[in-house]
């Protein structure tokens, strides 16, 4: 009975800056919608976007913020409104609320991620798909988890890697039960999985030009607004960094290992403005020969060209880039799915494989919700 | 600080009757060994096998039982020894112990599974790879989970399906976050995955006779002692029953849907004694023509023969048996791994796929340990 006092009563959603700009309105909106559909939803007491904050009035923290759009919620006369607040102030507000508080960070903001230790030290848990806190400098990563221990708070960030795929939880289970992870490899970008799968199908052929496929994927919303944010491999490298750290391979930063960019050097300095993006897209066809050569080289060896990342735990070698893979292998057969293959001592020659649709607003929101439900369960 | 009072102090391991008879000494021994290697192991206060019980002496519940073989533990003069005790008595013993108690059921015993509600009602949690409690009559399944709610206790049985593969937790996440599961299909028997993969490889050919492959798998310990326990598909059907129930498809019992047995009718009445097993193995070659015909039929259609199970959530249809699958599909490429493909509304055409080595004593023990660690974390 005593445990009833620990019911999760408070929740802050950073809902404005969305991680994925494609899909059904991005992660933030899809998440708020799913939250409202829970049979036993937590109480939303603070909603923040980059320059504004909505709060339930202390000391009662009541009424709560409705699970609706920012615009609708802001109309409520009983909610306090202010400009953006410093994290320490928000942490104090949440730590004083009845029950255990959870911050849901739905941004891709480094500054907010740098404030996680402030929340965690005060016993406020963090649930987030924001990769920054876990893939930037190793100091921040370590700070986050040591603050969580000191503050007796929880950190759930499963959907920073692979959307709803249980990649990080499975790796943590393997490590905590004493298995030895030997190698992890996979495709951690749904966009690059799709592009390479169309460019060189696992079974069948394609004569489509690389630049045409990129252009088509952009048009149907399967790339970031600036496709270079997919093609540079940096988001992929961040995910691989998180995986490596979770299995105990110390990576100082996501640029501390080789990442092959699919952006031609000549086009890498074009600005990321709307005009810059248009210029990039119009010049990309000039470099199709480079990707064709890579494809032909794979073909000559009877292999398939894929953009993959790998962590060799024994040597500590981490790399991301175009590689040749065996025909008929799960990676060769990908057509837009993400995949992670985990080789361990106990699993031997048959790796543990997790494969699935990966990102997209609705799916990432679902992974985030699964994390939130787990955190709420443990804070009960 | 108050929560410190809830540290998991007590654990009972039913370690004698092992679920898997192949692998490194079965699940029970591998599990006890892994338990002893934890940095912060729970206290073992009761160890039971079919006819004997070892207990730490109440009311101090100290000293604990060492993480060693039954024979070594039984030598300790400070432990109480008795015959098998009725579950109600064990539940009373555990419920009175300091901290929260967990029963780890490492048997495949239905009688013990039928006693889970007794433990759970008294606040004693259950962690187990024993399929019986979750795959027998639906009444028992429902009793287990309603008792857990009433007793505020936990039930973890992830490794009843797919060893360490996070099948059930992933399905629960999908359901609890509001996704609609459309179809689940897969290969839930490592033995049948291996046999069919050798009989008709996904890429390549084989002229090996079915009976020879069964005989070889038996010799190297890749089947149950009586291979008919694999070939009858019943263990597979139990796993599919558990999956169906977890996603809300009500299955009254594991024999309430069609399961194709790979045991020739003529050999199904041979007793399961050592002589019976020998007789079965010696007569199996007479029926190779039947499996050859199934293989040829698949070949003619350019497909691959696999033994799979499926749940169609819309129609409620569940079935297990030999089916033709597409060449190049993940199921066609299996060679001993288990696999589960989950089709949902949100995942669309790209299913979520979980694939891996599956059973084996060490791997199932690892799945069990992961469950135990999660239960301990939540009972803290």
């Amino acid at each position: 009975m005593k445990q009833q006092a620990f019911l999760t009563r408070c929740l802050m959603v950073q809902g404005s800056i969305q991680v994925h700009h494609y899909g059904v309105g991005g992660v933030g909106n899809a998440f708020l919608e799913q939250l409202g559909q829970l049979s036993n939803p937590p109480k939303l007491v603070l909603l923040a976007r980059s320059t504004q904050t909505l709060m339930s009035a202390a000391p009662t923290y009541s009424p709560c913020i409705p699970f609706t759009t920012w615009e609708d919620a802001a109309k409520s006369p009983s909610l306090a409104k202010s400009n953006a607040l410093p994290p320490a102030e928000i942490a104090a507000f949440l730590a004083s609320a009845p029950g255990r508080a959870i911050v849901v960070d739905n941004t891709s903001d480094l500054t907010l991620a740098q404030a996680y230790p402030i929340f965690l030290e005060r016993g406020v848990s963090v649930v987030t798909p924001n990769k920054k806190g876990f893939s930037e400098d190793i100091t921040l990563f370590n700070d986050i988890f040591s603050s969580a221990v000191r503050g007796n708070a929880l950190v759930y960030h499963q959907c920073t890697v692979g959307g709803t795929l249980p990649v990080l939880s499975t790796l943590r289970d393997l490590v905590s039960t004493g298995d030895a992870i030997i190698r992890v490899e996979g495709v951690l970008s749904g966009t690059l999985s799709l592009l390479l799968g169309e460019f060189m199908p696992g079974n069948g052929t394609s004569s489509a030009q690389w630049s045409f496929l990129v252009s088509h994927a952009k048009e149907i919303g399967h790339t970031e607004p600036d496709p270079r944010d997919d093609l540079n491999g940096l988001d992929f490298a961040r995910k691989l960094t998180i995986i490596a750290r979770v299995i105990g391979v110390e990576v100082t930063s996501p640029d501390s290992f080789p990442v092959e960019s699919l952006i031609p050097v000549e086009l890498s300095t074009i600005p990321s403005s709307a005009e810059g993006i248009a210029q990039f897209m119009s010049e990309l066809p000039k470099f199709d020969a480079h990707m064709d050569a890579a494809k032909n080289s794979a073909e000559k060896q009877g292999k398939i060209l894929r953009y993959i990342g790998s962590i060799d735990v024994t040597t500590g070698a981490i790399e991301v880039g175009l590689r040749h893979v065996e025909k008929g292998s799960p990676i060769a057969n990908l057509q837009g799915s993400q995949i992670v293959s985990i080789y361990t001592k106990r699993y031997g020659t048959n790796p543990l494989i997790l494969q699935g649709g990966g990102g997209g607003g609705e799916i990432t929101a679902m992974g985030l919700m699964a994390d939130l439900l787990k955190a709420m369960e443990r804070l009960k």
Side-chain angles (χ1 to χ4, degrees), chain A:
Chain A
M1 280 297 105
K2 218 170 266 170
Q3 291 189 313
Q4 294 300 319
F6 293 101
L7 267 178
T8 308
R9 293 249 175 74
C10 316
L11 175 80
M12 160 197 169
V13 176
Q14 285 269 3
S16 63
I17 308 170
Q18 286 139 11
V19 180
H20 290 262
H21 298 270
Y22 53 88
V24 191
V27 179
N29 289 345
F31 180 72
L32 270 173
E33 196 187 317
Q34 288 183 20
L35 205 53
Q37 290 163 0
L38 288 182
S39 59
N40 197 10
K43 299 202 165 103
L44 183 61
V45 297
L46 196 151
L47 194 60
R49 51 185 188 184
S50 47
T51 59
Q52 293 169 287
T53 312
L54 280 179
M55 284 180 289
S56 295
T60 60
Y61 293 83
S62 167
C64 292
I65 302 172
F67 300 115
T68 177
T69 61
W70 179 280
E71 289 66 26
D72 275 2
K75 285 179 198 150
S76 166
S78 48
L79 296 176
K81 295 168 194 72
S82 77
N83 294 336
L85 298 176
E89 202 167 314
I90 293 180
F93 172 82
L94 291 176
S96 309
R100 299 289 305 264
I102 300 173
V103 165
V104 177
D105 170 15
N106 241 325
T107 76
S108 55
D109 190 15
L110 174 60
T111 315
L112 182 58
Q114 285 166 334
Y116 293 168
I118 299 173
F119 293 113
L120 294 163
E121 291 269 4
R122 299 213 53 168
V124 175
S125 297
V126 171
V127 176
T128 185
N130 181 355
K131 289 182 270 289
K132 296 286 164 59
F134 310 94
S135 60
E136 280 289 317
D137 196 276
I138 183 79
T139 322
L140 177 56
F141 181 87
N142 291 336
D143 272 3
I144 288 171
F145 289 98
S146 56
S147 306
V149 171
R150 284 194 298 274
N152 192 25
L154 306 174
V155 180
Y156 275 86
H157 65 108
Q158 171 103 290
C159 47
T160 52
V161 177
T164 315
L165 289 181
V167 178
L168 299 181
S169 58
T170 300
L171 289 167
R172 286 198 167 102
D173 280 354
L174 293 169
V175 171
S176 68
T177 58
D179 200 359
I181 294 174
I182 295 164
R183 181 180 169 82
V184 178
E185 64 179 26
V187 176
L188 297 171
S189 159
T191 306
L192 292 174
S193 168
L194 182 76
L195 288 172
L196 270 299
E198 289 177 341
F199 185 59
M200 189 172 191
N203 39 9
T205 55
S206 164
S207 58
Q209 291 294 297
W210 176 252
S211 61
F212 170 79
L213 295 173
V214 174
S215 174
H216 177 252
K218 180 180 186 304
E219 264 165 47
I220 59 173
H222 277 172
T223 68
E224 295 290 329
D226 185 344
R228 286 173 294 180
D229 290 338
D230 296 303
L231 298 175
N232 62 18
L234 293 184
D235 188 64
F236 193 133
R238 283 189 181 277
K239 293 176 188 167
L240 206 61
T241 300
I242 297 173
I243 289 181
R245 288 173 177 175
V246 162
I247 61 175
V249 177
E250 189 153 315
V251 182
T252 51
S253 72
D255 54 10
S256 63
F257 52 87
V259 177
E260 181 180 359
S261 170
L262 298 185
I263 303 173
V265 181
E266 294 85 343
L267 305 184
S268 62
T269 54
I270 299 176
S272 58
S273 59
E275 297 74 29
I277 296 171
Q279 187 194 343
F280 170 77
M281 294 306 294
S282 76
E283 297 201 19
L284 191 56
K286 292 185 201 161
F287 301 89
D288 279 338
H290 175 74
M291 285 299 284
D292 282 339
K295 179 173 158 178
N296 291 338
S297 155
E299 210 148 29
K300 264 182 201 152
Q301 296 176 49
K303 303 281 178 81
I304 300 290
L305 185 70
R306 288 291 176 265
Y307 190 85
I308 68 175
S310 62
I311 302 166
D312 184 316
V313 179
T314 322
T315 64
I318 305 180
E319 47 184 48
V320 176
L322 290 171
R323 298 288 181 276
H324 298 170
V325 303
E326 296 297 328
K327 269 189 185 165
S329 66
I331 290 185
N333 289 331
L334 287 187
Q335 295 177 304
S337 284
Q338 297 188 27
I339 192 168
V340 177
S341 301
I342 306 168
Y343 294 82
T344 81
K345 180 164 165 283
R346 291 192 186 130
Y347 270 92
T349 50
N350 276 331
L352 198 163
I353 299 176
L354 305 167
Q355 181 181 331
E362 217 181 6
I363 287 193
T364 303
M366 177 163 63
L368 185 62
M369 182 62 71
D371 269 4
L372 178 65
L373 292 175
K374 287 196 187 80
M376 285 167 60
E377 212 166 48
R378 282 183 58 193
L379 292 174
K380 257 204 299 208

